[in-house]
């Protein structure tokens, strides 16, 4: 079956790599997208499989054939670069370095990472541990993709639920490596963390600009939320059907500052891995004017 017509814009979604990473670009085309996010390995396992050369070449060919503009990896859910446990911290660092290496081999544009959890309750030390790990990983993979720190929902001992956490991590990484560290804002996480995109949209971006600078915003994860404002809970909902509603997404889609920033869905797929993404993308496109 031929792929549907693709609208050439900055929208996309997280897509499956079932059967191999080389299938991801075609799946992005199936949902009318030219941008995608994927996992380069099973995200809930420590195993670090090497990607065979033929699979790498097949992905690069498929990406070119599909006209994919921005291809992003999300790192493993097990990685915790803020951990106070030396063994887990080192294992996480080794896994993260492997993620960077696979991103380099595939020619990916960014690697998105959650800053982790300071399970001892010491956020400041967790930030320092995360920064030290990032610096070591980036230094060891100079031609790997830039890293994007994802704003978290701020639950429990998680690091990254405040803009100042992300700024402190970049500061800890230090120059010149910090030039390879940007930010991904997840709208569900932001709202759950206490950044009121519904009631104080401009205030959120003033705060971001003040702590980080808007030029560091390299990627959006566009997700509605199943939980109330400042709940510190992370559960995504379909666009416009959660507690954020339509208004902040309309504003993001019309905001000239973010026109060229890639915007990827991580919304529920349901039983059909295509229809919900197409519906959400069409809705977002309809709000451009």
């Amino acid at each position: 079956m031929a792929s549907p017509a693709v609208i050439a814009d900055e929208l996309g979604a997280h897509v499956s790599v079932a059967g191999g990473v080389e299938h991801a670009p075609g799946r992005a085309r199936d949902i009318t997208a030219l941008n995608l996010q994927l996992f380069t390995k099973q995200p809930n396992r420590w195993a670090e499989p090497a990607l065979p050369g033929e699979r790498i070449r097949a992905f690069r060919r498929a990406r070119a054939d599909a006209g994919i503009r921005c291809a992003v990896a999300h790192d493993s859910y097990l990685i915790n670069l803020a951990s106070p446990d030396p063994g887990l911290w080192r294992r996480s660092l080794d896994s993260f370095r492997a993620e960077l290496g696979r991103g380099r081999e595939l020619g990916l544009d960014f690697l998105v990472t959650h800053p982790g959890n300071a399970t001892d309750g010491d956020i400041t030390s967790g930030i320092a541990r995360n920064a030290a790990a990032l610096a070591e990983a980036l230094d060891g993979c100079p031609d790997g993709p830039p890293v994007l720190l994802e704003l978290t929902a701020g639950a429990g001992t998680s690091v990254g639920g405040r803009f100042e956490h992300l700024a402190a991590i970049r500061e800890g990484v230090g120059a010149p490596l910090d030039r390879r560290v940007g930010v991904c804002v997840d709208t569900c996480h932001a709202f759950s963390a206490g950044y009121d995109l519904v009631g104080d949209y401009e205030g959120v971006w003033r705060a971001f600009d003040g702590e980080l600078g808007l030029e560091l915003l390299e990627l959006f994860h566009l997700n509605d939320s199943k939980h109330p404002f400042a709940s510190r809970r992370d559960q995504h909902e379909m666009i416009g059907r959660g507690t954020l509603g339509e208004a902040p997404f309309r504003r993001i889609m019309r905001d000239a500052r973010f026109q060229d920033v890639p915007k990827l869905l991580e919304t529920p797929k349901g039983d059909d891995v295509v229809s919900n993404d197409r519906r959400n993308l069409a809705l977002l496109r309809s709000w451009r004017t």
Side-chain angles (χ1 to χ4, degrees):
M1 180 182 296
S3 295
V6 174
I7 299 174
D9 60 21
E10 82 287 8
L11 294 173
H14 189 104
V15 296
S16 169
V17 294
V21 292
E22 65 271 23
H23 297 292
R27 289 174 179 139
R29 287 296 303 256
D30 287 342
I31 59 167
T32 73
L34 293 179
N35 304 276
L36 63 86
Q37 180 177 273
L38 51 74
F39 293 121
T40 64
K41 55 165 277 185
Q42 292 187 45
N44 293 311
R45 295 186 63 187
W46 283 113
E48 300 294 340
L51 290 172
E54 62 269 21
R55 184 144 280 172
I56 294 168
R57 292 188 290 272
F59 174 83
R60 287 175 174 264
R61 285 195 303 270
R63 176 178 179 171
D65 290 345
I68 299 300
R69 294 178 171 185
C70 182
V72 178
H74 196 299
D75 70 356
S76 167
Y77 295 140
L78 300 178
I79 290 173
N80 184 3
L81 299 180
S83 176
D85 180 323
L88 178 57
W89 183 86
R90 176 53 61 178
R91 191 174 196 181
S92 296
L93 173 55
D94 290 344
S95 182
F96 188 76
R97 292 173 69 175
E99 296 271 10
L100 275 176
R102 289 191 295 272
R104 176 191 59 211
E105 292 171 344
L106 293 169
L108 301 182
D109 298 286
F110 298 111
L111 173 61
V112 177
T113 180
H114 291 173
N117 283 276
T119 52
D120 58 358
D122 187 344
I123 299 295
T124 300
S125 295
I127 287 170
R129 289 187 291 266
N130 183 283
L134 287 179
E136 185 173 335
L138 289 166
D139 187 58
C141 190
D143 51 353
V147 171
L148 301 184
L149 303 172
E150 182 172 351
L151 182 72
T152 70
T157 59
S158 70
V159 174
R162 305 301 302 169
F163 295 151
E164 53 264 35
H165 291 182
L166 307 184
I169 291 171
R170 292 189 75 254
E171 183 178 0
V173 169
L177 293 173
D178 61 348
R179 291 183 296 198
R180 295 169 58 196
V181 181
V183 174
C184 169
V185 168
D186 182 309
T187 51
C188 170
H189 297 178
F191 194 63
S192 291
Y195 291 105
D196 192 358
L197 288 165
V198 177
D200 189 21
Y201 179 88
E202 284 301 334
V204 170
W205 300 118
R206 281 195 300 272
F208 186 100
D209 196 33
E211 289 289 344
L212 289 152
L214 284 173
E215 68 278 2
L216 291 178
L217 177 54
E218 300 276 9
L219 184 72
F220 277 103
H221 285 165
L222 294 186
N223 302 302
D224 212 325
S225 176
K226 290 183 180 290
H227 298 288
F229 173 65
S231 65
R232 306 294 192 269
R233 299 184 69 183
D234 176 12
Q235 193 172 7
H236 300 174
E237 180 56 283
M238 298 274 284
I239 300 296
R241 298 187 184 180
T243 53
L244 278 89
E246 296 184 0
F249 298 104
R250 288 179 183 270
R251 296 189 72 170
I252 289 171
M253 291 304 298
R254 296 174 183 176
D255 197 322
R257 296 169 296 186
F258 308 136
Q259 181 177 353
D260 297 322
V261 177
K263 303 173 181 70
L264 304 176
L265 298 171
E266 294 178 321
T267 44
K269 306 268 188 198
D271 295 329
D272 182 343
V273 297
V274 172
S275 295
N276 279 350
D277 282 346
R278 285 186 188 170
R279 186 179 302 113
N280 281 321
L281 292 172
L283 190 60
L284 290 167
R285 289 176 179 128
S286 75
W287 292 335
R288 289 190 189 279
T289 58

